Amino acid sequence: MPSVLVVEDDQFVRSALIRHLTEASHTVRSVGTALEALREVAHFRFDVVILDLGLPDLDGSEALKMLRGITDVPVIIATARDDESEIVRLLNDGADDYLIKPFSVEHLSARMAAVLRRSRAAGGEAPPPSVIQVGGLSIDPLRRQAELDGTALDLTRREFDLLTFLAGRPGVVVPRKELLAEVWQQSYGDDQTIDVHLSWLRRKLGETAARPRYLHTLRGVGVKLQPPAVQRPDPEQSV
C-alpha cells in the first residue's frame, strides 16, 4: 500500500487531500510546516511527497532543497504559482513533478500513478544491465554513474534516466511522446519539461543546442544521442 506525506498548511485543502488519498487506498501522513516534513521524512519511509510551497515557517522551494539533501523520495509540488521561471527552478532543485492549484483529484491521481510506476520500476528486480558506451560517454545503469571522457558527471535522477534511455538507442531519433512515456511515465505532458532537462544535460556534456556533440534535436521529430563525428585528417596535409 503506497505511503504518502502531504505537506500542506491550508486545513481545508489538507483534509480534502487526505480524504481522497485514503479512499484511493494510500497510507497518508500529513503535516503543516516544512520542519515537520523534514522530521517525518527522517523517521518514516514514504513513496511520494506532495509539497505545498506556501508554508508558514519556510518556503516550500527551500524545503525541497533540504529534502533532497536527505532523501530521493519522489516529490510532487502543489503550487498556485504558475510563473515559468519558478517552475523551471523547482525542477532544477529536484522536483519530480508539479501541479498548479486548483487541480482535480483525477489530475493528482494520474500524476501520482506515474511517479509511483517509475518508483516501482526503479526498485524492481532485474538482471544487472551492462555498462553503456557511446563515444566518450560511459553509463553504468546499475550503479547509476556516468562519465564523460573519464570524468564523472554530476547528474540528477531524471537527467540520468533521460541520458541512459537515449544512450541505449544510439543514433535513433526518439519522439518526444516516447520520452514522456518511458522516462517520465506520462502519456501526456509539456514539451518544456523535456527541453529543460535536455538543456541541463547539454550543459553538463559541454555542448549547446547550437553546437551539439552528443544530443541532437530534430525539430518536430524528436531527439537522438550519437557519438561526435570523428575528424579525419586532410590527406593533402599528411606528411
Side-chain angles (χ1 to χ4, degrees), residues 88-154:
V88 170
R89 184 167 65 85
L90 290 168
L91 290 169
N92 195 25
D93 287 342
D96 291 82
D97 206 344
Y98 62 89
L99 283 169
I100 305 298
K101 294 179 179 178
F103 50 81
S104 67
V105 292
E106 291 80 13
H107 195 171
L108 173 61
S109 294
R111 294 299 183 95
M112 283 189 58
V115 167
L116 291 170
R117 282 197 303 271
R118 182 171 63 251
S119 179
R120 292 190 188 105
E125 296 184 2
S130 58
V131 174
I132 302 171
Q133 195 79 36
V134 181
L137 270 174
S138 178
I139 304 169
D140 188 335
L142 182 62
R143 294 182 175 83
R144 297 189 67 80
Q145 296 174 349
E147 295 182 351
L148 176 61
D149 299 328
T151 301
L153 294 172
D154 183 14

Side-chain angles (χ1 to χ4, degrees), residues 149-177:
D149 299 328
T151 301
L153 294 172
D154 183 14
L155 303 177
T156 66
R157 178 177 55 192
R158 190 59 57 76
E159 290 168 357
F160 183 88
D161 292 343
L162 178 58
L163 181 64
T164 302
F165 186 80
L166 291 171
R169 298 150 183 79
V172 176
V173 179
V174 181
R176 288 171 176 269
K177 286 185 177 180

